[in-house]
Amino acid sequence: MEVVDRTAPPPAGASPEAGAPTRRHRGGRILTIVLFLLPALVLFGTLVLLPMLLAMYTSLFDWNGFGGRPTDFVGLENFQRLLTDDIFVGDLRRGLLLIVLSLLIQLPLSLGIAMLLNQKLRGRAFYRLLFFVPYVLSEVITGVLFTMVFSPNRGLAGHIAGWFGFHDIGATWLSDPETVMYSLFFVMTWKYFGFHMILYLAGRQSIPNELIEAAQVDGAGSWQAFRHVTLPLLGPTIRISVFLSVIGTIQLFDLVWVLTGGGPLHASETLAVTMFNDGFRRSDVGYASATSIVMLLISLVFALFYQRFIMRRDIEGAVTVMQGKK
Amino acid sequence: MKTGAARVKGVVLQVIVWVIAAVIIVPIAFGVIGGFKDNAQLSENPFGLPSPWVASNYTDILVSENFWRPLFNSTLIALVTTFVTVGVSAMAGYVFARYAFRGREFIFTLFTIGLMFPFAVAILPLFILLRTMGLLNNPLGVILPQAAFGLPVTIIILRSFFRTIPAEVEEAAILDGCTPFGFFWRVLLPMARPALATVSVLAIVASWNNFMLPLVVFNDPSWWTIPIGVRQFQGQYSDDTARVLAYVVLAMVPALGFYAVAERQLIGGLATGATKG
């Protein structure tokens, strides 16, 4: 893909002659535009836009997914059913809980660790590498590993809790509706904090040290310098990180599916898990599509609102790109 | 320069970092070491070193199809997905960056909105579409949708890179008798190598970790990718913790190897993808 091909394929369009563009060029130009855009449009149109439209269409029918096309038109009935569905309402509540926990615990923790790794510290480069390792592992691998860590009789977590005198909760991290969400959140934090840490580190490195030193010369302590200089300058980075965290949480599937399957008794279920179960296991495709459309609406409304009111001041590419050795 | 207070601060920082490092290392080490135990040892002694060391969990997996087939499938699917995603996006990105035409902004906006589409919304209709096209249990059934969903971020990144290349370069190439395709192929793509590396890393990682799509497309075990393999293995040997740990650890190796080799591109690529997207 990188070697320059000396035997270039025949020209796509009229061959240009040196000099001013002529009328013959216009046809060539349009042909170029069409030929170059066509593959992307076909691929995106049939496999992204079409499924999205089909999901909206299907959500208006009662359909089991078989027999060609849906026929039982029910209008917005699926959506009405959602409103009184305990599992769906629970999904919204649990999603909100995960978002709140992420914003209050996970992101501040990532920010703190990024600032820590920005200090003079022995082995700093090694820790940066290490802290990013969980993010490199896929959700599925992380999920399976932690089912073992939390496993009732051979697990690690129960033993560690035992050291601190909590002998009775060792077995029920993932099987108790009271604790399962916090266990899930722990695994989410374990996996994703490194990603946000990397964002914050990149953001911090784009801030000139002179600014912070100037504040300290003026008598600000390190906390004050952080609070009044670093933090405001990290604003754009933090806003992007919050955005990605919320969107990711709204669409959470892999980790939950592997770790708990949404159980026990739907206590850790998310919108995507409910949708998947309804669609692929119970063949209630119309209803599952309605759930997925709600997920789409929540994502789009949040994105529009956020971009409009929160990120409007940020220019594109607020975080400097870390490319190679510069 | 080192005062007492500074020294205390240094020690405190070190301790905090060690604690965080332990939280990351301990579960992974539990997996690696646990794979060398039998289940009786795991129950009695989840922490300590194995005694005796049992290598059979690892060796059994390494001599079976269970591991090598998914590894091959994951690699093949990731490479083809990346090739299609980057190739198609580069062509589109070139037009978006270099040509003015009616409807350009509209079409480009369509792609950027695509960035906000949750994959989960498409999965049911996609499954039905793929079933109609006869692409279930066919690697193309995973490759093509992955490529399609990878287009938005790839097009956005490449377009902004192509815009940084001065128009004079193109004019000079055209004067030398280059066709638009010739310029794209012989001048633009070689110049865009760093950006191509970035988007390729993003596409590889996304494909490698994808779970939901292969889960519904591949019924046939001979096409399972690593995430599906891990998941099925966990189900098949649910009461054999040590064996599952060994499989999970082996499944980590390729990703960690890739991270070790392409650490800069990976971190740089993820940061770019996050901020441009």
Side-chain angles (χ1 to χ4, degrees):
Chain A
M1 220 178 105
E2 48 181 9
V3 182
V4 176
D5 189 1
R6 291 267 161 247
T7 56
S15 66
E17 295 147 32
T22 59
R23 274 211 161 279
R24 254 191 316 156
H25 262 70
R26 297 271 311 268
R29 214 178 133 269
I30 291 168
L31 193 64
T32 305
I33 292 172
V34 170
L35 283 177
F36 272 64
L37 269 184
L38 205 57
L41 283 175
V42 169
L43 205 54
F44 191 73
T46 49
L47 296 176
V48 179
L49 293 180
L50 180 64
M52 289 288 160
L53 294 171
L54 285 173
M56 292 177 203
Y57 179 73
T58 313
S59 70
L60 305 174
F61 288 81
D62 181 10
W63 189 40
N64 63 8
F66 295 99
R69 55 177 50 204
T71 49
D72 294 342
F73 182 80
V74 294
L76 295 178
E77 221 170 90
N78 286 324
F79 292 89
Q80 281 168 335
R81 232 175 94 193
L82 282 177
L83 294 177
T84 55
D85 184 333
D86 287 345
I87 298 173
F88 170 79
V89 175
D91 289 344
L92 298 181
R93 217 184 42 240
R94 286 182 288 268
L96 198 61
L97 173 71
L98 288 176
I99 288 171
V100 169
L101 287 174
S102 296
L103 299 188
L104 291 183
I105 298 172
Q106 188 190 335
L107 299 187
L109 185 77
S110 309
L111 181 61
I113 294 170
M115 293 302 113
L116 188 71
L117 291 188
N118 207 37
Q119 309 265 345
K120 283 198 174 60
L121 195 74
R122 235 176 333 168
R124 194 168 64 169
F126 166 75
Y127 291 119
R128 273 184 203 181
L129 269 178
L130 175 70
F131 290 1
F132 197 64
V133 161
Y135 186 75
V136 177
L137 305 174
S138 72
E139 275 95 346
V140 177
I141 286 178
T142 307
V144 173
L145 179 66
F146 274 91
T147 51
M148 306 290 152
V149 168
F150 286 132
S151 108
N153 45 8
R154 301 190 188 119
L156 184 68
H159 279 264
I160 294 182
W163 290 352
F164 295 102
F166 299 106
H167 293 282
D168 46 346
I169 60 170
T172 57
W173 303 95
L174 298 175
S175 54
D176 179 347
E178 293 292 317
T179 54
V180 68
M181 284 304 283
Y182 299 98
S183 306
L184 169 64
F185 175 69
F186 174 81
V187 180
M188 275 171 74
T189 303
W190 188 86
K191 174 153 170 47
Y192 292 111
F193 89 94
F195 174 72
H196 296 282
M197 175 193 82
I198 290 288
L199 286 185
Y200 298 141
L201 272 171
R204 173 62 185 80
Q205 276 156 8
S206 68
I207 299 172
N209 278 327
E210 292 83 18
L211 288 176
I212 292 151
E213 284 156 15
Q216 288 177 326
V217 168
D218 289 342
S222 40
W223 167 252
Q224 283 174 307
F226 171 75
R227 174 73 195 76
H228 296 289
V229 181
T230 315
L231 201 59
L233 287 170
L234 277 175
T237 313
I238 292 172
R239 285 190 276 274
I240 285 174
S241 148
V242 166
F243 180 76
L244 292 171
S245 172
V246 173
I247 288 288
T249 308
I250 291 171
Q251 301 170 11
L252 190 68
F253 175 82
D254 297 9
L255 203 56
V256 183
W257 187 257
V258 174
L259 198 65
T260 65
L265 300 171
H266 307 289
S268 64
E269 209 159 298
T270 62
L271 275 177
V273 171
T274 307
M275 181 280 301
F276 198 89
N277 273 325
D278 286 346
F280 289 100
R281 296 212 162 155
R282 299 182 32 237
S283 291
D284 200 348
V285 174
Y287 191 52
S289 297
T291 309
S292 77
I293 294 302
V294 172
M295 191 196 306
L296 176 66
L297 287 175
I298 294 173
S299 299
L300 287 178
V301 168
F302 169 75
L304 286 171
F305 173 86
Y306 197 85
Q307 306 258 355
R308 204 171 159 82
F309 294 102
I310 304 200
M311 288 170 74
R312 66 178 190 278
R313 294 188 308 276
D314 299 338
I315 39 169
E316 188 195 345
V319 179
T320 21
V321 180
M322 299 173 287
Q323 270 297 349
K325 294 171 190 164
K326 272 185 186 163
Chain B
M1 270 308 278
K2 274 238 167 182
T3 59
R7 189 163 296 174
V8 170
K9 187 185 159 196
V11 171
V12 171
L13 291 185
Q14 281 290 351
V15 170
I16 297 174
V17 174
W18 283 340
V19 170
I20 300 161
V23 172
I24 290 167
I25 292 173
V26 166
I28 296 175
F30 166 75
V32 175
I33 295 168
F36 282 108
K37 295 175 180 173
D38 54 36
N39 286 309
Q41 283 189 55
L42 261 183
S43 308
E44 287 155 28
N45 168 22
F47 282 107
L49 288 176
S51 76
W53 288 69
V54 185
S56 61
N57 289 321
Y58 287 109
T59 50
D60 286 356
I61 293 166
L62 286 174
V63 296
S64 77
E65 282 268 284
N66 264 342
F67 177 69
W68 296 107
R69 253 228 98 87
L71 184 64
F72 172 81
N73 294 338
S74 272
T75 309
L76 177 80
I77 287 171
L79 290 178
V80 180
T81 298
T82 303
F83 184 75
V84 175
T85 311
V86 176
V88 169
S89 300
M91 288 166 70
Y94 166 62
V95 169
F96 284 131
R98 297 243 163 246
Y99 286 81
F101 55 94
R102 216 175 319 146
R104 181 181 74 171
E105 290 316 303
F106 171 76
I107 298 175
F108 183 68
T109 307
L110 267 188
F111 281 107
T112 49
I113 294 174
L115 215 47
M116 288 313 309
F117 288 160
F119 190 76
V121 180
I123 190 78
L124 275 166
L126 258 181
F127 176 78
I128 291 158
L129 277 175
L130 294 170
R131 193 176 61 192
T132 326
M133 297 180 196
L135 286 177
L136 294 184
N137 282 324
N138 179 330
L140 283 176
V142 169
I143 289 167
L144 294 176
Q146 280 184 171
F149 271 84
L151 290 178
V153 73
T154 316
I155 287 177
I156 289 168
I157 293 174
L158 289 181
R159 167 178 169 263
S160 63
F161 186 88
F162 290 159
R163 282 174 131 182
T164 62
I165 292 174
E168 289 78 21
V169 176
E170 187 162 10
E171 283 155 19
I174 301 279
L175 281 179
D176 288 343
C178 245
T179 59
F181 187 83
F183 166 76
F184 170 77
W185 186 249
R186 289 191 215 176
V187 182
L188 195 69
L189 287 188
M191 281 179 89
R193 216 167 277 173
L196 293 176
T198 299
V199 292
S200 298
V201 165
L202 286 178
I204 287 173
V205 170
S207 169
W208 191 267
N209 292 340
N210 197 348
F211 178 62
M212 202 193 261
L213 186 64
L215 183 66
V216 302
V217 171
F218 298 139
N219 258 328
D220 175 357
S222 63
W223 277 113
W224 284 348
T225 54
I226 284 185
I228 311 296
V230 170
R231 173 73 181 150
Q232 297 291 348
F233 201 86
Q234 181 198 20
Q236 191 181 341
Y237 296 101
S238 55
D239 51 357
D240 193 345
T241 310
R243 188 181 287 265
V244 177
L245 281 176
Y247 193 95
V248 169
V249 169
L250 289 173
M252 284 180 195
V253 171
L256 292 178
F258 184 65
Y259 177 47
V261 173
E263 173 246 335
R264 275 180 186 285
Q265 289 83 348
L266 189 74
I267 290 181
L270 289 166
T272 312
T275 50
K276 286 271 162 50

